[in-house]
Amino acid sequence: MTDRVYNFYPGPATLPLSALKKAKEELLNWNGTGMSVMEISHRSKEWDNALNEANLLLRKLMDISDDYTILWMGGGASTQFYQVPLNLGLEGRPMEYVNTGRWSTKAIAEAVRFGEVRTVASSEDDDFKYIPKDVSFSDGAAFAHITGNNTIYGTEWHEWPDTDGDVPLVSDMSSNLMDRVTDVKKFGAIYAGAQKNLGPAGVTLLIVREDLLGRVPDDTPSMQKWITYHKKNSMFNTPPVFNIYMCKLSMEHLDEIGGVKAQEKKNRKKAELLYDVIDSSDGFYEGWARKEDRSLMNVSFRLPSEELEQKCVEEGAKRGLIGLKGHRSVGGMRASIYNAMSIEGVETLTKFLTEFKEKHE
Ligand SMILES: *Cc1c(COP(=O)(O)O)cnc(C)c1O
């Protein structure tokens, strides 16, 4: 496929080619039904099987035990910013957050509508270049919330914080779901908008410990209650069928290459290649994140001037390296190297960056 570019967009983002090809092949006649998966009833046996297979595959890939439920929803991660406090909040108990950037800030802004919020740690004092260390949450907190990977700044939690006793840890994993082996048992809930590391925009994945589903007040509107989705296997109403199907195809690809463990190895290799170019550039490229907190998924960096940054983005695009412009709040450049980005793509990028530096330093 020579007309495919290397896509470094932060999200929506690159998907496995095999998943896209399979979707194309099956578009008009899915699974021998003579219909597209977009056309078949979500109450059909065929769809029911597909959804259950997707759930089983996710359980296998992430080693999710039976005390957790898997829910597919609409609304994006931004909807979870208020559904988390709505579903996990407890009368008279603070909700505790770590602020590691723009998405954490947005999550906090929604949570304050539901009760007392405490920001127990923040890296705002240094422009979100790091992940706070030795974070501790109170025993009495309703839940503790972190953002697993900070898509804009390129920082990532490499060691999960501990919570005491029965305080569930909740993580927004929109941009690092399955980027490495993760112990799901550490968490009460994990949520992710699909469009970064899993599938297309329009579906949100929630993995939540079942015993937490009973906290939500009864009079909450049905569609805002996680338990509604749980009771109906994510089909209380019509789920985003095609989007879930695409997530399934991308998980099948992940399974075929050896699962999350093999993916992690690949991701570490890709990140190392790119950070090496930055670190050996004598300061021409300057990474945004502190080294110990660098993300495996998003690599944010600056060049000596904004003119050079713009030029680098433009010249990269001419070589088929797309989506390298940094987020406006950080500036510079950002390469998002999600699971579906190949090592070859990153090698092409590092070769280009090395040449660009030689030409302009
Ligand atoms: C992109 C992103 C979001 C927002 O996701 P939506 O699905 O657009 O609401 C939230 N959190 C993180 C970490 C993200 O990267």
Side-chain angles (χ1 to χ4, degrees):
M1 290 277 266
T2 48
D3 56 348
R4 293 272 299 170
V5 297
Y6 291 119
N7 173 1
F8 296 94
Y9 276 126
T14 188
L15 288 168
L17 187 57
S18 66
L20 294 170
K21 279 184 172 164
K22 182 119 195 259
K24 183 181 172 187
E25 267 166 36
E26 301 184 327
L27 191 68
L28 302 183
N29 182 359
W30 174 62
N31 224 359
T33 58
M35 287 172 266
S36 167
V37 68
M38 283 186 266
E39 300 169 301
I40 197 165
S41 166
H42 65 295
R43 303 293 175 200
S44 64
K45 183 101 203 75
E46 290 89 346
W47 172 253
D48 201 49
N49 287 341
L51 179 62
N52 289 331
E53 280 167 22
N55 288 342
L56 276 178
L57 189 50
L58 184 69
R59 278 195 195 277
K60 175 185 167 193
L61 288 169
M62 291 186 73
D63 193 20
I64 302 169
S65 54
D66 287 343
D67 47 340
Y68 287 79
T69 185
I70 295 168
L71 310 177
W72 301 91
M73 305 174 167
S78 300
T79 294
Q80 293 311 313
F81 292 167
Y82 71 81
Q83 287 198 350
V84 167
L86 181 61
N87 282 273
L88 296 181
L90 290 170
E91 193 68 37
R93 304 200 15 202
M95 300 173 276
E96 298 195 332
Y97 282 70
V98 179
N99 187 0
T100 50
R102 191 183 174 84
W103 296 116
S104 313
T105 305
K106 289 195 169 198
I108 291 166
E110 296 293 338
V112 296
R113 304 176 201 279
F114 297 89
E116 186 197 344
V117 171
R118 287 189 196 150
T119 302
V120 299
S122 168
S123 51
E124 195 172 9
D125 58 355
D126 193 17
D127 297 323
F128 300 120
K129 288 179 176 172
Y130 69 102
I131 300 289
K133 304 294 174 313
D134 302 318
V135 173
S136 74
F137 301 97
S138 338
D139 292 354
F143 62 86
H145 182 281
I146 61 170
T147 310
N149 181 71
N150 300 280
T151 322
I152 294 171
Y153 318 88
T155 61
E156 182 168 10
W157 290 81
H158 292 292
E159 224 174 288
W160 305 115
D162 286 318
T163 54
D164 283 319
D166 59 359
V167 180
L169 181 64
V170 180
S171 183
D172 175 357
M173 302 269 204
S174 294
S175 52
N176 66 338
L177 187 83
M178 294 193 273
D179 76 335
R180 67 203 143 114
V181 176
T182 300
D183 181 8
V184 174
K185 285 223 168 301
K186 275 225 82 140
F187 300 88
I190 290 170
Y191 63 92
Q195 71 273 20
K196 271 84 182 228
N197 215 17
L198 184 63
V203 65
T204 313
L205 174 66
L206 182 76
I207 302 161
V208 59
R209 226 173 56 218
E210 275 185 37
D211 64 287
L212 298 171
L213 296 173
R215 289 187 176 192
V216 70
D218 275 346
D219 59 356
T220 306
S222 311
M223 288 294 286
Q224 305 305 335
K225 292 194 279 197
W226 292 346
I227 195 163
T228 304
Y229 295 77
H230 170 67
K231 282 186 177 163
K232 299 286 185 181
N233 192 22
S234 302
M235 294 207 286
F236 172 74
N237 75 329
T238 319
V241 175
F242 188 75
N243 312 58
I244 297 171
Y245 159 80
M246 282 307 303
C247 293
K248 177 169 180 269
L249 294 186
S250 114
M251 290 192 289
E252 282 169 4
H253 169 80
L254 182 50
D255 193 35
E256 272 158 27
I257 67 159
V260 178
K261 208 168 165 183
Q263 182 69 60
E264 172 173 351
K265 212 170 144 196
K266 206 176 132 192
N267 289 343
R268 290 195 184 281
K269 165 100 182 150
K270 287 185 291 178
E272 191 183 309
L273 283 168
L274 203 42
Y275 288 121
D276 269 356
V277 168
I278 292 172
D279 292 340
S280 59
S281 72
D282 296 318
F284 184 82
Y285 297 115
E286 200 186 332
W288 183 266
R290 289 190 196 164
K291 282 188 188 173
E292 69 270 21
D293 299 321
R294 282 173 163 174
S295 168
L296 291 177
M297 298 279 96
N298 309 96
V299 179
S300 293
F301 55 100
R302 303 292 313 246
L303 274 69
S305 71
E306 281 181 22
E307 291 70 48
L308 278 175
E309 284 166 348
Q310 199 186 332
K311 196 166 180 180
C312 194
V313 171
E314 283 166 8
E315 284 188 15
K318 281 186 206 146
R319 300 249 213 124
L321 303 163
I322 303 296
L324 290 168
K325 192 171 171 356
H327 189 273
R328 60 194 177 281
S329 61
V330 167
M333 298 178 67
R334 167 176 52 176
S336 296
I337 49 174
Y338 296 120
N339 284 0
M341 173 53 65
S342 61
I343 290 182
E344 190 199 356
V346 174
E347 282 171 345
T348 308
L349 175 61
T350 54
K351 190 162 167 266
F352 163 70
L353 290 175
T354 304
E355 285 170 22
F356 188 87
K357 176 198 163 237
E358 279 162 7
K359 222 158 71 189
H360 296 281
E361 70 187 331

